[in-house]
Amino acid sequence: MATEIKVPTLGESVTEATVARWLKKVGDAINVDDALVELETDKVTLEVNAQAAGVLTEIVAEEGANVDVGALLGTIGEGSGAAVAPAAKASPAPAAPAAAAAAPAATAPVMPAAAKIAADNGVDTGAIAGTGKDGRVTKGDVLAAIETPKAAPAPAPAPKAAPAPSGPRAKADLEERVRMTRLRQRIAERLKEAQNTAAMLTTFNEVDMTNVIAMRNQLKDAFEKKHGVKLGFMSFFVKACLVALKELPAVNAEIDGTDLVYKNYYDIGVAVGTPQGLVVPVVRDADKLSFAGVEKTIGELGKKARDGKLSMEDLSGGTFTISNGGVYGSLMSTPILNTPQSGILGMHKTMDRAVVVNGKVEVRPMMYLALSYDHRIIDGREAVTFLVRVKECIENPERILLDV
């Protein structure tokens, strides 16, 4: 009896996904809970696991296909991989050899650069035998097909006139066109949405990191020994932001139609760069966590982000966001709001700079801070005050413990 592989529920407000990669081939033996296929949504990448053992007998949704929740991806039949493989090979035997040879060529995947060259030169990729992985038609295959029949077919010269006026695409054969992932498309949409809907403004300040660095250097070994996690700077900034958010609730609020929604909870998003793109997992109830709790949570979320294991729950919600561009060497930037939130703090690289302290020039480790905010809900006074509070808490960490 065949078992259908279907698109699972993807999470709140997510109804569609893209088939990113099949992890099994038709004829492969399947065990229960084996990962079969990766689906990519606009928020996360997830694996669909086998609900039954058997053999993958059919792939309905090929890589790159868009599928809805509940759509059929493929089927698992009874048997083992060794038993099914010969049967699959035997089925085309009765067909004529010419037909058997033509079938793979007609359905062979075509690489983007190859498709472009073929279109420009009027070449039918269906008649080309691909030499790439899994029978893919490569750029070299298309170029070889163009050169070989050059003298024979008459239609070839006519399409060749078309690429001449292309201008900017003159080096198309040196380019590769790759479809944007769903996550990258969603990132683009959300960033543009933030610019289009919010009255976004950024204010700056700088913070002397001397005392925080000294405290961290003094206590980091004892902290790690007791809590099993390294003491970083992010927990200090999360705690400093909590002090400022409680004093200035507008920064922790959002606009809903004609209403202002003030949130009496603090779910802090921490922006994380991954190979797939920027994601913002959320530290829930950050105000109820200790420094060690914040560091552990951020570490766990960061690992899940890098491994592509974040769930919808990890990414949903969030009342305020912190982005640390300093880990990449950024000296200053203007972060974009993570809508519908009204504020985002940008941290940057700590650098030794000459500053005036008590009338004397000293070299201190300084960091620029940036707060981007929605001016529709947050006034300039509140934005500046917020940054000043963060600055005060970082320069005098005891303020965090005493909540002053």
Side-chain angles (χ1 to χ4, degrees), residues 102-178:
T107 58
V110 182
M111 297 299 289
K116 171 65 176 172
I117 297 172
D120 289 346
N121 291 275
V123 176
D124 179 13
T125 56
I128 299 175
T131 60
K133 183 180 179 182
D134 298 328
R136 296 178 186 272
V137 177
T138 66
K139 181 174 69 175
D141 296 332
V142 176
L143 292 173
I146 294 172
E147 291 300 322
T148 304
K150 213 168 191 179
K160 271 199 168 184
S166 60
R169 314 309 304 178
K171 295 188 177 181
D173 58 324
L174 301 177
E175 301 173 348
E176 183 173 356
R177 189 179 296 269
V178 179

Side-chain angles (χ1 to χ4, degrees), residues 25-29 55-59 78-95 100 103-104:
K25 302 188 298 292
V26 172
D28 283 356
V55 175
L56 184 60
T57 56
E58 182 184 18
I59 291 178
E78 296 179 350
S80 65
V84 170
K89 284 194 172 185
S91 57

Side-chain angles (χ1 to χ4, degrees), residues 250 252-256 259-263 265 318 340-342 377:
N252 200 53
E254 70 177 60
I255 294 177
D256 184 14
D259 296 331
L260 299 180
V261 182
Y262 291 94
K263 301 172 184 178
Y265 57 95
Q341 297 172 22
S342 297
I377 183 173

Side-chain angles (χ1 to χ4, degrees), residues 9-15 42-43 312-313 316-317:
T9 301
L10 301 172
E12 184 181 358
S13 77
V14 181
T15 60
D42 55 16
K43 294 185 178 179
M312 297 298 296
E313 176 64 21
S316 61

Side-chain angles (χ1 to χ4, degrees), residues 31 46 72 104 120 135 159 195 228 240 254 300 312 327 338 344 388:
N31 296 316
L46 56 92
L72 182 64
D120 289 346
Q195 287 185 321
E254 70 177 60
E300 291 167 359
M312 297 298 296
V327 297
N338 182 22
I344 177 172
V388 170

